[in-house]
Amino acid sequence: MDLLLPLLLVALLVPMFLGMRRQKREAAKVTEMQDSLKVGDRVTTTSGLYGTVVDLDDTTVDLEIAEDVVTTWLRLAIRDVRTEDAEDTAEENSTGAVEITEPQQADETTRLTKD
């Protein structure tokens, strides 16, 4: 019975300690990614906005969110750097060229119009 309390404490504290270490590692990765941003990177903000980095400062990032529309964000608001667009599907053909295909609609008769 004398060993039950110390074993119980160890059983509760070890998962907490391991969870804190994992959380610290993830925070270090995010900080490293935010520090390594460069002009031309396509990024996603924590609020879900897609943009392209056009200017950098120590604490801020200027993102182009549409043609000739530039907004200023904190570096801490950058969640990740995108490597591919979710809205475009790129397929490589036999010559090595990349074709951009648009999503096809399943049924044209169910399409709603303003008419």
Side-chain angles (χ1 to χ4, degrees):
M1 276 313 228
D2 292 336
L3 292 176
L4 185 60
L5 182 62
L7 287 175
L8 186 60
L9 287 175
V10 168
L12 292 174
L13 293 178
V14 167
M16 284 178 46
F17 176 73
L18 294 176
M20 287 183 348
R21 285 187 55 204
R22 183 176 47 118
Q23 197 172 22
K24 247 186 220 183
R25 250 189 320 233
E26 291 296 323
K29 276 190 211 176
V30 170
T31 302
E32 179 183 337
M33 178 272 305
Q34 290 170 347
D35 290 339
S36 67
L37 288 174
K38 59 187 179 299
V39 174
D41 282 347
R42 301 178 79 155
V43 297
T44 305
T45 64
T46 53
S47 60
L49 183 81
Y50 294 110
T52 304
V53 177
V54 293
D55 193 24
L56 295 166
D57 195 352
D58 290 338
T59 58
T60 61
V61 176
D62 289 343
L63 297 180
E64 183 176 32
I65 57 174
E67 190 173 330
D68 296 329
V69 178
V70 177
T71 58
T72 302
W73 294 76
L74 289 174
R75 271 188 189 251
L76 299 176
I78 304 300
R79 181 175 58 196
D80 60 357
V81 177
R82 295 184 299 142
T83 56
E84 60 185 42
D85 285 339
E87 62 268 1
D88 292 335
T89 305
E91 295 178 2
E92 190 171 333
N93 63 17
S94 61
T95 61
V98 175
E99 291 181 17
I100 305 297
T101 60
E102 293 185 21
Q104 296 181 2
Q105 293 193 355
D107 188 23
E108 290 291 327
T109 58
T110 60
R111 191 171 152 202
L112 300 176
T113 61
K114 287 186 176 183
D115 298 326

